[in-house]
């Protein structure tokens, strides 16, 4: 039985941050760390003390993680970035509320003594003889210690405390991976049992030594289970600064931990889910999908929609699943103007489906135009209340332009960008994924069947454009960073330009039905262009659904990356290991890398022949440099996912280089010495390109159904009581009731069996641990 854990993190916004720049503002960004490992970096929000990020991350974790930390820093062009503050959340604090954390949290000061990292290896023995008690502490080594010196290393030594006695190891210079292999013996007369504390320090010739971390063991632990192994270093216990003088962050954090059973355990549930697609969706009230739709609410609806879409996508039935939800949504909608406008399970499922299968398509269509908007930084504004004539002075060389001149210039720029966007969209029919086109074709047919009248002629277009334009293209234009179209958030001026473009794309997606209405009458100069574009969009939607094809290919979903799948690609700086001397900046060469489930290859340009090895067949070390922290984390995450099936990957490595006859990280003299640092293979970032994992997705569906099990039982009792009180004769109604009771009973039995399987596997696991 596999164990899995994931953190859903949303860094929403900050407020009242202190000014770190001479301009009286700051350029804040956030670093997200899991157990001192950086897993994500938000974009920088320029010139703001109340930044909005709105960035979401899903981090797949080992179940033994301890804490999550958020560091807020001010980006500086010259010199080191300034630290503003941090928030540290323990695993216990995150799991205290099943719904997770969703609140404003004050930033605390960053205390150097509290910024510890790494682990220490200890083997402890507690002995007794005629002279009293003897504690023998074997301090073997430590790894991944915090760098305290300007050289990026430390000079660590260990100090052992037991009762009233203390001893120190020798100091090992210039390393973060020291090997002491020293045994320290401390004696104490019989009396009160004392705890053991081991502290690690960085030795400094001038000034006081720097704290690196500590571990502490109670007398009960020493007596019953003497420490032997790796132990995580902890800071000195101290009170947190909660005054709020450093500002605050609004965070949403939820931890999900689960145990995934073998595939055969979920087969009865999968059979029920597949049977749901075959029945009449409009009248369904007892199938698992109908129960899930009734139970899902709030934030969990989006997570559930993602799991269900992936589950059916892996079996080649995503189209049938979306059609099932569409039939239910259309059947209960009387006003076509409200169709798919709410955040129902049907709407969320189609939205997640578009992201899963259509993200590359979105990038191909929008990235060229979005990049132009970012690079050209043109001032555009149509709203007289927001128009800044001084900012737009550069568009005229005859002094400050008038409001009319700014409006005319802005209109020309907007129509130019919009023209490129519309051209790219309407010419993209051939690039749109087949699965997405088939889903839209089914959607249009269901809408036409429900609203066949001539007065509802536009409804079949609005149903598709409501998803494609309002829930896909427009949000990506508004916040391109959240759709991986850009690495950074836009500055305020570019954000305003993107907002105007997104509003225009929304109006086109609404087929102009709301033009001239509402409070934004200042958009009127754009109306002629928008009306002209609407007819082109109708033709595009007709071509989009004019496709022949059956359901997408079926087959069991795979939990690993397929060998032929390109997981990630892009430019990196590369150099091979050099035995002697330091590498100059000219030693790094820019190469285009492609990572697939089979190998990591590179070439000079994307069009050149790919190189996968040097021809000698001898393994060698290659150093790769990314352009920023986010790029590094995404490459590391992609490498971990692609190598999940590799049974030969190393559990330890040398983060340094072998130079002058020794490793620079741990100072070992043997080139083939075992690695001194763990390879981090468990922490990965979830994204739209994650491989399918049918067992984990089925487990998530089971957990959601389990929340409604009591309601199902109550409903079954009510139906049985009703039959007893009122005698129902033979006929259609009695047959329907009998079928519903049988379906509910079957579903409850499947849930009970899964619950029993969990208990059985948990009992076996505890028995193995005891052995």
């Amino acid at each position: 039985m596999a164990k899995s854990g994931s953190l859903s993190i949303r860094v929403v916004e900050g407020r009242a941050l202190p000014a770190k720049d001479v301009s009286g503002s700051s350029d804040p960004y956030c670093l997200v760390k899991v157990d001192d490992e950086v897993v994500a970096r938000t974009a920088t929000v320029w010139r703001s003390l109340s930044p909005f990020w709105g960035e979401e991350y899903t981090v797949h974790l080992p179940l033994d993680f301890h804490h999550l930390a958020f560091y807020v820093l001010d980006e500086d062009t010259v010199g080191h970035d300034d630290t503003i503050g941090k928030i540290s959340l323990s695993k216990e604090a995150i799991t205290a509320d099943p719904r997770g954390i969703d609140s404003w949290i004050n930033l605390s000061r960053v205390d150097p003594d509290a910024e510890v990292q790494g682990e220490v290896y200890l083997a402890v023995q507690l002995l007794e003889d005629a002279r009293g008690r003897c504690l023998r502490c074997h301090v073997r080594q430590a790894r991944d210690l915090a760098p305290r010196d300007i050289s990026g290393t430390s000079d660590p030594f260990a100090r052992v405390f037991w009762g009233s006695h203390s001893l120190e190891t020798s100091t090992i210079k210039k390393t973060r991976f020291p090997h002491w292999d020293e045994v320290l013996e401390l004696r104490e007369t019989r009396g009160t049992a004392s705890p053991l504390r081991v502290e690690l320090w960085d030795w400094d010739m001038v000034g006081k030594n720097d704290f690196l971390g500590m571990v502490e063991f109670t007398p009960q632990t020493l007596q019953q289970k003497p420490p032997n192994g790796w132990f995580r270093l902890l800071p000195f216990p101290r009170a947190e600064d909660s005054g709020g003088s450093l500002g605050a962050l609004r965070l949403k954090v939820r931890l999900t931990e689960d145990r995934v059973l073998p595939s055969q355990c979920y087969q009865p549930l999968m059979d029920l889910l597949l049977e749901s697609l075959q029945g009449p969706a409009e009248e369904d009230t007892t199938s698992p999908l109908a129960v899930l739709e009734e139970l899902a609410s709030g934030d969990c609806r989006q997570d559930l929609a993602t799991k269900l879409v992936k589950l059916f996508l892996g079996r080649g039935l995503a189209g049938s699943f979306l059609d099932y939800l569409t039939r239910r949504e259309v059947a209960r909608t009387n006003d076509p103007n409200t169709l798919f406008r709410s955040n129902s399970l049907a709407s969320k499922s189609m939205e997640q489906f578009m992201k899963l299968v259509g993200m590359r398509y979105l990038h191909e269509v929008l990235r060229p135009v979005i990049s132009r908007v970012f690079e050209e930084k043109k001032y555009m504004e149509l709203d007289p209340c927001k128009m800044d004539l001084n900012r737009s002075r550069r568009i005229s060389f005859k002094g400050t332009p008038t409001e009319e001149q700014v409006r005319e210039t802005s209109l020309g720029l907007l129509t130019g960008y919009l023209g490129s966007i519309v051209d790219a969209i309407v010419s993209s029919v051939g690039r749109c994924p087949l699965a997405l086109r088939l889903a839209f074709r089914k959607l249009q047919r269901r809408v036409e069947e429900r609203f066949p009248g001539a007065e509802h002629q536009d409804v079949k277009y609005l149903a598709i454009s409501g998803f494609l334009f309002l829930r896909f293209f427009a949000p990506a234009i508004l916040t391109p960073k959240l759709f991986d179209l850009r690495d950074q958030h836009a500055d305020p001026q570019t954000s305003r330009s993107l907002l105007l473009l997104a509003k225009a794309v929304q109006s086109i997606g609404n087929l102009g039905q709301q033009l001239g209405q509402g409070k934004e009458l200042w958009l009127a100069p754009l109306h002629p262009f928008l009306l002209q574009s609407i007819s082109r969009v109708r033709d595009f939607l007709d071509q989009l659904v004019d496709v022949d094809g059956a359901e997408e290919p079926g087959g069991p979903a795979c939990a690993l990356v397929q060998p032929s799948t390109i997981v990630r690609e892009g430019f990196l700086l590369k150099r091979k290991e050099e035995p002697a001397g330091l590498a100059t900046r000219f030693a790094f060469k820019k190469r285009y890398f492609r990572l697939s489930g089979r190998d990591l290859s590179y070439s000079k340009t994307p069009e050149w022949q790919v190189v996968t090895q040097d021809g000698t067949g001898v393994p060698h070390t290659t150093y790769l440099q990314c352009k920023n922290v986010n790029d590094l984390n995404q490459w590391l995450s992609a490498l971990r996912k692609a190598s999940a099936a590799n049974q030969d990957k190393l559990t330890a490595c040398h983060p340094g280089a072998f130079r002058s006859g020794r490793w620079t990280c741990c100072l070992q003299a043997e080139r083939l010495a075992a690695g001194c640092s763990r390879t981090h293979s468990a922490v990965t970032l979830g994204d739209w390109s994650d491989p399918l994992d049918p067992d984990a997705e089925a487990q998530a569906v089971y957990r959601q159904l389990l929340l409604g099990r009591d309601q199902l039982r109550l409903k079954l009792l009510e139906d049985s009581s009703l039959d007893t009180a009122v005698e129902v004769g033979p006929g259609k109604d009695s047959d329907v009731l009998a079928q519903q009771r049988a379906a509910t009973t079957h579903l409850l039995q499947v849930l009970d069996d899964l619950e029993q399987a969990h208990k059985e596997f948990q009992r076996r696991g505890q028995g193995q641990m005891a052995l």
Side-chain angles (χ1 to χ4, degrees):
M1 180 171 60
K3 298 180 179 180
S4 66
S6 64
L7 270 174
S8 299
I9 302 170
R10 187 172 189 222
V11 185
V12 185
E13 58 185 322
R15 69 182 180 192
L17 301 182
K20 290 292 184 178
D21 299 335
V22 294
S23 62
S25 186
S26 292
D27 306 314
Y29 67 90
C30 282
L31 285 178
V32 183
K33 290 186 177 183
V34 173
D35 287 345
D36 303 313
E37 179 183 357
V38 177
V39 297
R41 180 199 190 275
T42 69
T44 301
V45 179
W46 304 101
R47 300 184 299 278
S48 176
L49 299 181
S50 298
F52 178 84
W53 291 287
E55 299 193 20
E56 297 183 13
Y57 307 98
T58 299
V59 185
H60 303 299
L61 296 164
L63 290 181
D64 59 348
F65 101 99
H66 297 87
H67 74 276
L68 173 71
F70 300 85
Y71 290 78
V72 182
L73 295 94
D74 166 58
E75 183 167 335
D76 290 331
T77 306
V78 179
H80 293 289
D81 295 345
D82 300 318
T83 301
I84 295 176
K86 77 166 188 176
I87 294 170
S88 186
L89 301 173
S90 66
K91 181 179 179 180
E92 293 73 21
I94 298 172
T95 56
D97 188 335
R99 297 170 297 179
I101 295 173
D102 182 3
S103 62
W104 286 95
I105 304 176
N106 289 332
L107 290 167
S108 61
R109 298 187 185 281
V110 177
D111 184 353
D113 285 346
E115 298 305 298
V116 302
Q117 66 181 57
E119 298 170 303
V120 61
Y121 196 110
L122 303 173
V124 179
Q125 289 180 301
L126 190 59
L127 308 173
E128 289 195 28
D129 55 25
R131 293 185 296 166
R133 289 179 301 172
C134 173
L135 185 140
R136 183 175 296 166
C137 183
H138 187 179
V139 185
R140 294 187 178 179
Q141 58 181 312
R143 61 189 180 193
D144 197 28
L145 300 180
R148 296 300 193 208
D149 298 337
I150 195 171
S151 61
T153 62
S154 291
D155 305 319
F157 68 93
R159 185 179 293 158
V160 180
F161 296 87
W162 187 56
S164 59
H165 301 279
S166 66
L167 289 175
E168 294 181 359
T169 66
S170 59
T171 300
I172 301 182
K173 300 292 186 68
K174 297 181 180 179
T175 180
R176 295 172 50 230
F177 301 85
H179 283 247
W180 292 287
D181 200 18
E182 297 183 23
V183 178
L184 306 179
E185 289 191 1
L186 298 92
R187 284 194 169 272
E188 194 174 62
T189 58
R190 297 182 185 274
T192 305
S194 302
L196 169 67
R197 188 172 77 253
V198 180
E199 298 176 0
L200 268 59
W201 293 83
D202 165 54
W203 178 84
D204 286 332
M205 180 179 293
V206 180
K208 66 176 185 177
N209 298 330
D210 299 314
F211 180 67
L212 292 173
M214 60 166 281
V215 291
E216 189 167 11
F217 306 98
T218 64
Q220 292 79 10
T221 301
L222 295 176
Q223 190 71 39
Q224 299 171 6
K225 190 178 180 181
N228 187 1
W230 286 101
F231 298 94
R232 178 173 163 267
L233 294 172
L234 301 174
F236 278 129
R238 61 186 68 240
E240 292 287 336
D241 177 18
S242 57
S245 60
L246 299 177
L249 293 185
R250 187 185 171 200
L251 302 172
K252 292 185 177 182
V253 182
R254 189 175 72 256
L255 174 64
T256 303
E257 290 185 325
D258 224 334
R259 291 174 172 83
V260 181
L261 300 173
S263 301
Q264 62 269 21
C265 296
Y266 298 107
Q267 193 56 49
L269 177 60
M270 285 305 307
D271 292 340
L272 283 179
L273 289 170
L274 297 178
E275 289 174 9
S276 302
L277 305 182
Q278 310 302 323
E282 298 82 356
E283 302 173 1
D284 186 9
T285 60
T286 57
S287 74
L289 289 180
V291 174
L292 287 169
E293 187 177 27
E294 185 177 345
L295 290 174
S297 62
D299 293 338
C300 73
R301 185 177 291 144
Q302 179 168 318
D303 295 338
L304 178 62
T306 304
K307 297 295 184 184
L308 286 171
V309 169
K310 284 189 170 185
L311 194 62
F312 286 104
L313 188 64
R315 292 181 173 264
L317 295 172
S320 299
F321 165 66
L322 294 172
D323 184 51
Y324 170 89
L325 295 178
T326 297
R327 284 181 286 157
R328 292 178 62 83
E329 182 86 1
V330 168
R332 57 174 172 254
T333 302
N334 296 319
D335 184 359
N337 295 320
T338 63
L339 187 61
F340 298 115
R341 297 297 178 169
S342 65
N343 287 323
S344 63
L345 185 60
S347 299
K348 283 296 182 182
S349 296
M350 179 62 82
E351 190 176 325
Q352 296 307 306
F353 178 70
M354 289 190 295
K355 291 180 180 179
L356 287 169
V357 304
M359 194 64 82
R360 292 188 187 276
Y361 164 65
L362 177 81
H363 290 177
E364 292 175 3
V365 172
L366 293 183
R367 178 167 278 158
V369 185
I370 297 299
S371 298
R372 275 182 51 207
V373 175
F374 270 79
E375 292 162 5
E376 294 176 0
K377 295 185 180 299
K378 301 289 187 181
Y379 179 77
M380 296 178 285
E381 186 55 75
L382 296 179
D383 187 355
C385 299
K386 297 182 180 296
M387 201 171 289
D388 186 350
L389 301 182
N390 293 325
R391 181 179 293 181
S392 59
R393 180 177 299 188
R394 58 183 172 176
I395 68 176
S396 173
F397 296 99
K398 300 179 182 179
T400 303
T402 64
E403 185 177 302
E404 184 61 30
Q405 290 175 323
V406 174
R407 184 180 295 107
E408 290 179 3
T409 304
S410 299
L411 181 63
L413 291 170
L414 280 171
T415 52
Y417 288 128
L418 280 173
S420 299
I421 291 174
V422 174
D423 289 344
I425 292 175
V426 299
S427 62
S428 67
V429 174
R431 288 177 288 173
C432 184
L434 177 61
L436 196 55
R437 297 180 66 183
L438 290 171
F440 285 148
R441 184 186 67 176
K442 286 187 176 182
L443 173 65
Q444 188 184 71
R445 288 179 179 175
R446 298 302 181 189
V447 172
E448 284 181 314
E449 293 171 0
R450 178 68 177 85
F451 301 102
E455 67 275 14
H456 301 314
Q457 185 176 0
D458 281 343
V459 177
K460 64 179 183 180
Y461 296 112
L462 288 168
I464 301 174
S465 64
F467 285 115
L468 194 57
F469 283 78
L470 274 63
R471 293 178 181 260
F472 201 42
F473 288 141
I477 294 171
L478 182 62
T479 53
K481 170 68 171 63
L482 304 186
F483 286 77
D484 295 330
L485 288 168
R486 299 290 296 184
D487 291 332
Q488 294 286 343
H489 284 300
D491 57 50
Q493 178 178 314
T494 305
S495 292
R496 180 62 183 172
S497 301
L498 294 173
L499 175 62
L500 295 174
L501 293 172
K503 285 180 177 292
V505 170
Q506 282 182 331
S507 297
I508 294 173
N510 281 323
L511 303 184
Q513 289 192 349
Q514 299 177 1
L515 289 181
Q517 303 176 15
K519 300 178 181 179
E520 297 176 344
L521 299 178
W522 43 268
L523 281 173
L526 269 179
H527 289 178
F529 175 85
L530 299 179
L531 293 172
Q532 181 183 0
S533 301
I534 288 170
S535 60
R536 299 179 64 195
V537 168
R538 281 197 180 94
D539 293 339
F540 161 72
L541 296 176
D542 284 333
Q543 296 174 37
L544 196 66
V545 298
D546 185 16
V547 56
D548 294 326
E551 188 71 76
E552 57 267 33
C558 204
L560 305 175
V561 179
Q562 297 295 324
S564 60
T565 302
I566 299 297
V567 182
R568 188 168 179 82
E569 57 185 328
F571 281 103
L572 294 173
L573 296 178
K574 161 195 171 292
R575 78 169 178 87
K576 292 184 179 179
E577 181 184 31
E578 299 179 4
L582 295 174
T584 66
R585 64 187 181 92
F586 301 105
F588 283 88
K589 298 179 181 179
K590 190 175 183 180
R591 294 292 183 263
Y592 193 84
F593 279 80
R594 289 184 178 89
L595 173 65
S596 69
R598 182 186 299 110
D599 54 28
L600 177 66
S601 57
Y602 65 90
S603 58
K604 284 190 175 180
T605 68
E607 296 79 20
W608 280 44
Q609 183 178 0
V610 173
V611 177
T612 57
Q613 57 184 13
D614 59 5
T616 64
V618 178
H620 61 266
T621 302
T622 300
Y623 296 92
L624 303 178
Q625 182 175 323
C626 301
K627 58 185 178 181
N628 54 43
V629 174
N630 258 1
D631 197 38
L632 171 64
N633 292 329
Q634 289 164 3
W635 271 103
L636 287 175
S637 183
L639 282 166
R640 290 164 184 166
K641 293 174 185 177
S643 61
N646 182 7
Q647 301 297 323
D648 299 324
K649 59 177 177 287
L650 300 177
T651 58
C653 64
H654 288 285
F658 192 80
R659 188 178 297 123
S660 302
R662 65 178 185 177
W663 287 99
T664 58
C665 48
C666 58
L667 309 182
Q668 294 187 81
E670 296 182 14
R671 184 180 182 86
L672 299 179
C676 56
S677 178
R678 284 186 305 163
T679 52
H680 299 278
S681 60
V683 179
T684 58
L685 283 173
D687 58 25
W688 55 271
S689 61
D690 274 354
L692 304 176
D693 189 346
D695 294 339
E697 289 143 14
Q699 172 64 22
V701 172
Y702 157 70
R703 285 295 181 195
Q704 189 66 33
L705 285 169
L706 207 58
L707 297 176
R709 183 172 57 176
D710 291 340
Q711 298 180 23
L712 287 174
R713 285 176 174 163
L714 182 60
K715 182 179 178 182
L716 187 63
L717 289 174
E718 290 176 350
D719 291 344
S720 300
S721 300
L722 182 63
D723 284 353
T724 304
V726 180
E727 194 172 322
V728 181
K732 182 178 180 181
D733 291 340
S734 61
D735 293 341
V736 170
L737 288 174
Q739 291 174 3
Q740 290 177 348
R741 284 196 302 273
T744 303
T745 302
H746 189 188
L747 177 56
L748 287 171
Q749 184 62 51
V750 168
L751 297 179
D752 291 341
D753 291 345
L754 273 171
E755 184 180 45
Q756 188 60 37
H758 270 280
K759 292 179 179 178
E760 178 64 21
F761 274 94
Q762 186 175 5
R763 184 184 61 80
R764 291 181 187 175
Q766 291 174 348
Q768 291 174 359
M769 290 176 62
L771 291 174

